[in-house]
Amino acid sequence: MKYWLLKSEPDVFSIDDLYDCKDHTEPWDGIRNYQARNFMRDEMDINDQCFFYHSNCKSPGIVGIMTVVSNAYPDKTQFDKKSKYFDPKSKPEKPTWLNVDVKFKKKLNLVSLEIMKNHAALKDLLILRKGNRLSITPIIKSHWDYIIKLSK
DNA sequence: GCCAACGTTGGC
DNA sequence: GCCAACGTTGGC
């Protein structure tokens, strides 16, 4: 089983929004970055665990846990002309973008970006690297466990 | 294939 | 709202 960190802007889609979805499950769509797509396509498996990270907001940080509940499949928003994620270059017979489904597992007490920065044990965490903008990053188990402890 | 211009991300 | 960092685009 692998571990991940998935970013979302809470103004767009928050952990509470995920909870409110049918079966607490929703496609993690709108990913328009090849590296992030490839993680979903090649590395993610059903039952992998993900941190839900709130970005671009007043208190950025990890707010909960979700579970991967599908393999990667074509992101339907790329074909939806009304979607902000519409991609005119992508064709249904050869979709460019993929998503997985994720299911809410639980909320955590906020582990803020500020707190994580202050822990030497997390210094190699990708999210803390300067200029890192990747919306899906792998997390090693020791970091995962450490962050879980910080949330208690 | 280079790289300048542009758009986006995301912390502050 | 600012701006640094990064990814993408497109002319050459």
Side-chain angles (χ1 to χ4, degrees):
Chain A
M1 185 170 76
K2 292 195 280 296
Y3 301 93
W4 304 92
L5 182 146
L6 276 52
K7 287 186 204 172
S8 182
E9 300 186 26
D11 290 345
V12 178
F13 188 74
S14 72
I15 189 157
D16 293 320
D17 294 330
L18 177 60
Y19 183 84
D20 289 341
C21 290
K22 185 169 180 292
D23 298 328
H24 311 316
T25 300
E26 189 73 357
W28 197 260
D29 58 17
I31 302 298
R32 296 293 180 267
N33 170 283
Y34 288 104
Q35 213 180 334
R37 181 205 66 183
N38 293 349
F39 278 139
M40 291 194 286
R41 186 188 61 193
D42 305 331
E43 306 282 340
M44 269 190 188
D45 290 309
I46 290 170
N47 291 328
D48 280 1
Q49 301 292 294
C50 305
F51 282 135
F52 197 124
Y53 179 94
H54 280 174
S55 68
N56 207 9
C57 58
K58 206 168 167 187
S59 307
I62 290 166
V63 294
I65 298 175
M66 52 197 160
T67 305
V68 176
V69 294
S70 83
N71 291 310
Y73 63 94
D75 177 343
K76 66 176 173 10
T77 65
Q78 70 197 304
F79 306 123
D80 178 1
K81 284 202 171 100
K82 290 197 279 288
S83 170
K84 66 178 279 203
Y85 301 116
F86 176 65
D87 182 351
K89 286 183 289 189
S90 184
K91 299 282 168 263
E93 59 274 18
K94 197 171 183 298
T96 307
W97 306 111
L98 305 172
N99 59 225
V100 297
D101 289 342
V102 291
K103 180 171 187 173
F104 173 90
K105 184 168 181 183
K106 63 179 193 173
K107 279 203 190 189
L108 297 173
N109 296 318
L110 175 71
V111 180
S112 71
L113 180 61
E114 192 183 3
I115 286 172
M116 289 191 282
K117 279 188 192 164
N118 288 331
H119 285 263
L122 298 175
K123 72 176 171 54
D124 294 326
L125 197 64
L126 288 172
I127 192 85
L128 300 180
R129 284 245 283 267
K130 189 174 183 173
N132 173 54
R133 304 189 327 188
L134 200 53
S135 61
I136 297 179
T137 51
I139 301 254
I140 60 174
K141 185 165 194 308
S142 61
H143 285 160
W144 178 275
D145 293 342
Y146 194 90
I147 290 167
I148 296 287
K149 270 187 217 148
L150 287 181
S151 74
K152 298 203 165 127

